[in-house]
Amino acid sequence: MKAGACQKALGILSELYGSDRAPAILEQIDALMNEFQPAIESAFPNHSEVPSRPISQRDACLITYADTFYHQDGHVPPFTSLCSFCEQHLKGQLNTIHILPFFTWDTDRGFSVIDYFQVDPRNGSWEDFTPLKSIFEKCMFDAVVNHASLQNKAIQEALTTEPEGPFALTFTDDTRPTETQLATLLRPRPSPVLTRFYAVRPTDGGPVYASFDPPCESQGEVVREGLVWTTFSRPPRADGTADTKQVDLNVAHPPVLLYIMRVLLFYLSMGAAWIRFDAIGYLWKTLGTECLHLPQTHRIIELLTLVMHEAAPLSVSIAEVNEPQATVLRYLGPDMHTVESDLVYQFTHFPLAVYAVLFGDARPYTRWLPSLQRAQGRLFVTVLGTHDGMGRKPLFDDAEMSFLGEQAEQEMMARLVREHGTKPNMGSAKGKDLIYEMCGTPWALINGSDSADSADAAPDATKLARYLAVVALGLACRGVPSFYVTGLLGLDNNPGDLDENRSLNRERLDVDRINQLLENTESRTRLVLDSILRLVRIRQSESAFADGDYHVLDHHPGCVAVHLLPPSDCAVHCASVLSLVNVTSARINLHLPGALGRVLAPPQSGVSAVVDLIDRSEVSADARVVTLEPYQARWLRAAE
């Protein structure tokens, strides 16, 4: 570690663990970096294979599970099925893949990790993963380090040793937090944060193990019981057995920090240049606080990013924080000189865009857009949502102010449940239950889930246009656009049995069936994929979609209008672009503040014609009115 980075790391460690322990912890971090450095250098032999910072308009990301695609015969590993799909349909178009957790797991579709270093055999092997690195320029892994599975070896040791090991945050009935302390918590689950565990000595003489279910007499005897912190607890199953599996790591214990460092360095060594910090806001716990977004959490993220950059200079950390926007942006760092995480998730676009096209009202989206200037393009934009539900918290700028307003928000949520087949998940805020997210595929959220409107038939033209209007809005945002696989393919809600509401958007897909849909040039799936990729290609070719300035034009309540400027250091394709999106079902004649050519460029530039990058039509530079058909998107640029 370089001297400057070493000094900075020492300062952070001193704040977190005390100046007496900090030097020894830093020495252990340095030893870990030396251990993994040869493998990391092998994974990224030259900088051309590692993403650059800042990001560019060329970046676009697929989000998928390792096992989203499968072959019917059951003999092909899901990783191989995923590679087959991506090789055939996405290579050279999206340059990044985010593979959701694919390590051994027991619940929450991978987000309850048993072993951070082993590919789950149900997904394949590290050898099966390797071809993805030649299909995509960049691979992104999840660091699920706020919590681990109850079956994780370190967690088992923490709950079965005497006294309880410090890897988990444990209590006895006598030392448990008070109800007053627990009432201050902010969590995405309404069930209790403390889960009772039992250390069981089995009757067959095997090793003591920890369980959330008391053993029957024939299974063994309880040698100790207690309570453990479980941010993402679940209600019991119908038969009364525990459904909770995820146990929080106790990062206030230095060996846990070193464990997390080992995980990150291992991921880098396996080719993950981008690393997503899952649910990272809950990392540090202090009783009597909300146990969310604490200062210590911010400092740990800064340290993790520092170590990543030292080990792989152009690696990228991404903080996944599903919270009000003002809170999210703080994870970029306190000022321009301090990098906490390189990027943060930008969840707000999608619910605001869904509202815009459902109610024909662009005003909330237009009011929101200027607030992104402070992020300077350091955003991971969920264009069509994610593998989870459509979050409610991102509709707020801070804890008090909603970009929509309470009435409009409630109207949208009610309509989505009533007409679109979506299902709400509940969370808990200071002892009160509230809607945390709305679950469904992007197509269902935007257009409804109609069995008569199948993915293998030609879609209603209005529905397709409405869907692409949301995509065009997201692509005009500064940052890295990302597409969860069901959204990229325009799929309906999962028609199968649901183990939880989020499964509406987590259907496993027969790769042969998807290929058949894509071979049909009139199918909704083919039209959606082709249309999205075409918009992405246009975006990739225009510097105006990079991280330059932009100006929001507020001239019509049914149209989102943004003037995108290229970066100040732009060298090629440096024309600005006027992005116009009609979010209504009616034709709009948009009146501009001046001649179109003057809006796009200074008078001395001599713009004589303007081209629509999407439909390639020409518009007079003297035009003062631009017409947009229902849900039409237009990206206007001075003709070359």
Side-chain angles (χ1 to χ4, degrees):
M1 193 180 293
K2 295 188 288 292
C6 188
Q7 183 177 4
K8 184 175 181 180
L10 186 62
I12 296 173
L13 291 168
S14 296
E15 287 183 37
L16 294 171
Y17 303 107
S19 57
D20 55 333
R21 293 197 288 179
I25 300 171
L26 181 59
E27 186 176 334
Q28 291 171 288
I29 292 173
D30 199 51
L32 280 172
M33 293 176 67
N34 290 334
E35 176 185 339
F36 281 98
Q37 201 59 41
I40 293 173
E41 291 176 357
S42 176
F44 306 115
N46 57 67
H47 284 185
S48 66
E49 297 186 20
V50 189
S52 60
R53 290 192 314 272
I55 58 175
S56 79
Q57 76 277 10
R58 289 189 61 253
D59 294 311
C61 183
L62 168 71
I63 305 173
T64 180
Y65 287 97
D67 67 347
T68 290
F69 295 98
Y70 69 92
H71 282 85
Q72 282 281 11
D73 62 17
H75 299 300
V76 179
F79 257 141
T80 301
S81 301
L82 175 62
C83 289
S84 171
F85 171 81
C86 294
E87 176 80 32
Q88 185 172 349
H89 302 293
L90 300 181
K91 187 173 183 178
Q93 310 222 48
L94 304 182
N95 69 346
T96 304
I97 183 170
H98 171 203
I99 313 164
L100 293 158
F102 53 89
F103 309 97
T104 54
W105 60 282
D106 57 10
T107 193
D108 199 16
R109 193 66 185 275
F111 285 88
S112 180
V113 181
I114 296 174
D115 188 334
Y116 289 93
F117 307 96
Q118 290 293 325
V119 173
D120 193 302
R122 291 170 289 186
N123 295 326
S125 64
W126 281 114
E127 184 178 10
D128 298 321
F129 156 79
T130 299
L132 286 170
K133 294 193 287 185
S134 63
I135 297 172
F136 296 93
E137 296 175 21
K138 309 163 191 177
C139 292
M140 175 173 162
F141 291 2
D142 275 276
V144 188
V145 294
N146 174 73
H147 49 268
S149 165
L150 173 65
Q151 301 307 317
N152 180 280
K153 181 180 178 181
I155 297 297
Q156 281 288 309
E157 290 178 354
L159 301 185
T160 56
T161 55
E162 183 72 58
E164 293 94 333
F167 247 74
L169 194 59
T170 58
F171 306 90
T172 66
D173 287 321
D174 293 332
T175 63
R176 65 175 293 159
T178 65
E179 291 304 314
T180 300
Q181 289 173 320
L182 296 178
T184 63
L185 298 178
L186 292 179
R187 297 172 54 237
R189 300 288 186 274
S191 43
V193 71
L194 297 179
T195 300
R196 186 166 295 277
F197 70 89
Y198 304 88
V200 180
R201 179 178 292 116
T203 54
D204 62 6
V208 175
Y209 66 90
S211 172
F212 286 150
D213 292 307
C216 61
E217 189 173 340
S218 62
Q219 291 175 315
E221 65 170 323
V222 175
V223 295
R224 190 177 68 260
E225 63 180 273
L227 299 161
V228 65
W229 197 278
T230 53
T231 294
F232 294 90
S233 61
R234 298 173 177 230
R237 299 188 186 97
D239 63 2
T241 59
D243 197 28
T244 295
K245 300 289 186 184
Q246 294 151 301
V247 177
D248 286 46
L249 298 177
N250 180 18
V251 75
H253 179 48
V256 175
L257 175 71
L258 295 170
Y259 183 82
I260 292 172
M261 290 288 186
R262 177 174 288 278
V263 170
L264 296 185
L265 292 168
F266 174 72
Y267 290 174
L268 288 173
S269 75
M270 299 307 293
W274 290 26
I275 295 180
R276 171 187 186 265
F277 298 150
D278 174 69
I280 199 67
Y282 300 94
L283 190 62
W284 192 282
K285 287 82 175 172
T286 299
L287 293 179
T289 73
E290 296 174 348
C291 292
L292 181 62
H293 316 309
L294 297 185
Q296 296 93 331
T297 293
H298 285 278
R299 294 299 272 163
I300 286 180
I301 296 171
E302 186 180 344
L303 179 63
L304 297 180
T305 299
L306 175 67
V307 170
M308 284 176 58
H309 290 174
E310 286 295 299
L314 297 175
S315 58
V316 169
S317 65
I318 306 171
E320 187 267 328
V321 183
N322 199 344
E323 293 288 331
Q325 180 173 283
T327 300
V328 172
L329 295 182
R330 286 198 286 271
Y331 281 79
L332 292 172
D335 53 58
M336 293 180 60
H337 307 291
T338 304
V339 175
E340 185 172 318
S341 60
D342 293 305
L343 304 177
V344 292
Y345 266 68
Q346 199 277 83
F347 291 110
T348 306
H349 145 77
F350 186 54
L352 285 181
V354 169
Y355 175 85
V357 298
L358 290 187
F359 293 88
D361 185 0
R363 291 171 297 178
Y365 199 97
T366 297
R367 288 194 298 268
W368 162 70
L369 272 175
S371 69
L372 294 182
Q373 292 275 19
R374 49 189 155 157
Q376 298 182 314
R378 293 167 57 194
L379 299 169
F380 190 78
V381 183
T382 54
V383 175
L384 289 169
T386 70
H387 60 290
D388 292 335
M390 184 179 75
R392 176 179 173 270
K393 281 187 175 182
L395 286 171
F396 290 75
D397 185 30
D398 55 37
E400 304 297 330
M401 187 177 73
S402 170
F403 291 112
L404 273 184
E406 184 177 356
Q407 181 176 349
E409 181 189 328
Q410 290 178 353
E411 288 176 358
M412 179 173 71
M413 298 296 181
R415 182 168 172 181
L416 289 173
V417 172
R418 184 176 66 248
E419 302 176 14
H420 290 239
T422 63
K423 296 180 181 294
N425 272 343
M426 306 301 291
S428 176
K430 298 184 178 180
K432 296 181 179 180
D433 292 349
L434 47 78
I435 292 177
Y436 176 71
E437 61 185 8
M438 300 297 296
C439 298
T441 65
W443 183 270
L445 287 162
I446 295 167
N447 287 317
S449 188
D450 185 354
S451 59
D453 178 23
S454 61
D456 57 356
D460 176 275
T462 298
K463 289 184 177 181
L464 179 60
R466 184 161 51 225
Y467 198 72
L468 295 176
V470 172
V471 173
L473 287 172
L475 290 176
C477 292
R478 300 306 197 198
V480 178
S482 64
F483 298 90
Y484 179 57
V485 62
T486 61
L488 190 64
L489 298 174
L491 300 179
D492 288 311
N493 283 340
N494 182 0
D497 295 332
L498 305 180
D499 58 342
E500 60 175 314
N501 290 343
R502 285 178 170 179
S503 296
L504 283 169
N505 195 26
R506 296 178 177 180
E507 182 181 1
R508 295 195 64 214
L509 307 172
D510 179 346
V511 71
D512 293 326
R513 168 64 174 156
I514 295 299
N515 285 335
Q516 288 176 358
L517 291 175
L518 293 173
E519 288 170 4
N520 176 2
T521 58
E522 298 300 317
S523 73
R524 182 216 300 170
T525 301
R526 173 67 179 272
L527 290 172
V528 167
L529 178 63
D530 284 355
S531 299
I532 291 176
L533 293 180
R534 183 170 177 272
L535 291 175
V536 169
R537 287 194 298 273
I538 296 170
R539 187 185 196 273
Q540 290 171 331
S541 67
E542 297 290 328
S543 293
F545 289 97
D547 59 351
D549 289 335
Y550 62 91
H551 305 295
V552 179
L553 286 66
D554 187 5
H555 295 301
H556 195 289
C559 179
V560 177
V562 189
H563 187 200
L564 303 169
L565 305 176
S568 57
D569 60 352
C570 177
V572 294
H573 302 295
C574 297
S576 66
V577 169
L578 181 61
S579 171
L580 306 174
V581 181
N582 180 358
V583 300
T584 78
S585 58
R587 176 183 290 179
I588 285 177
N589 291 317
L590 181 68
H591 293 263
L592 300 174
L596 180 57
R598 294 286 186 92
V599 173
L600 286 170
Q604 62 270 25
S605 64
V607 174
S608 58
V610 174
V611 64
D612 185 333
L613 297 170
I614 296 176
D615 68 12
R616 304 309 300 174
S617 63
E618 286 200 0
V619 183
S620 170
D622 296 325
R624 292 176 177 267
V625 177
V626 176
T627 300
L628 294 103
E629 298 302 324
Y631 302 113
Q632 183 182 12
R634 306 194 75 175
W635 288 343
L636 304 178
R637 188 204 67 197
E640 295 178 340

